[in-house]
Amino acid sequence: MIGNTIFDIRKQKGLTLSELAKRAKISKSYLSNIERNLNRNPSIEVVKRIAEVLDIEFDAFLSKKNNDIQLGIDQDLIDFVAELKESGIGKEQIKEFKTLIEFIKWKNLKSNEDINRGSKNEAY
């Protein structure tokens, strides 16, 4: 059912019912009814807005494999993001962390290149 899928993805994304409802511009009670399968036929427009907020392709909701949606995201990463959110870190700050992570990756790559260069020079 589409309601179960929305619920599962919302939880994976670390969103509360209120947050998703607000971002999708629908009432909390309406979203709750959808998730509990009390409203089994929400409008396409509503489903599109929910999909957009959840950053999921609209077609994913229509798939017969709804329970198998893994989003290609490791559960540890989902948990980590949820922890960041709970600690008060917002999207803008997460973008700053991304820059820091890119720097660390670059630094590690350079260190590995230097190590490889050093071992090649020692061989001669």
Side-chain angles (χ1 to χ4, degrees):
M1 291 282 185
I2 194 167
N4 296 337
T5 303
I6 292 170
F7 175 83
D8 291 341
I9 296 171
R10 176 176 65 78
K11 287 295 189 180
Q12 287 179 355
K13 297 281 187 168
L15 291 172
T16 66
L17 188 74
S18 297
E19 289 173 317
L20 178 55
K22 184 177 180 180
R23 292 181 191 177
K25 297 181 176 125
I26 60 176
S27 74
K28 182 178 171 182
S29 61
Y30 184 52
L31 178 58
S32 176
N33 286 342
I34 293 170
E35 285 190 354
R36 293 181 295 140
N37 295 308
L38 298 177
N39 182 338
R40 295 179 187 216
N41 197 15
S43 72
I44 291 174
E45 183 58 37
V46 167
V47 175
K48 282 182 180 180
R49 289 196 312 242
I50 292 170
E52 185 177 316
V53 172
L54 294 175
D55 195 30
I56 298 296
E57 293 292 323
F58 175 74
D59 294 347
F61 287 126
L62 305 178
S63 170
K64 294 189 183 225
K65 298 179 181 179
N66 285 337
N67 293 330
D68 296 334
I69 295 175
Q70 293 298 316
L71 311 175
I73 300 174
D74 185 85
Q75 186 61 45
D76 289 337
L77 290 176
I78 293 169
D79 294 341
F80 177 67
V81 171
E83 286 178 37
L84 289 175
K85 189 172 184 176
E86 286 174 15
S87 70
I89 294 174
K91 281 186 178 181
E92 290 304 315
Q93 290 169 309
I94 290 175
K95 289 178 184 175
E96 292 173 15
F97 283 110
K98 183 179 176 188
T99 302
L100 178 62
I101 291 167
E102 291 298 323
F103 172 76
I104 292 169
K105 285 170 43 179
W106 173 83
K107 184 178 173 189
N108 288 339
L109 180 65
K110 286 297 197 185
S111 294
N112 288 337
E113 288 175 359
D114 290 344
I115 290 169
N116 289 337
R117 222 177 287 128
S119 63
K120 286 180 183 175
N121 289 338
E122 291 173 8
Y124 292 108

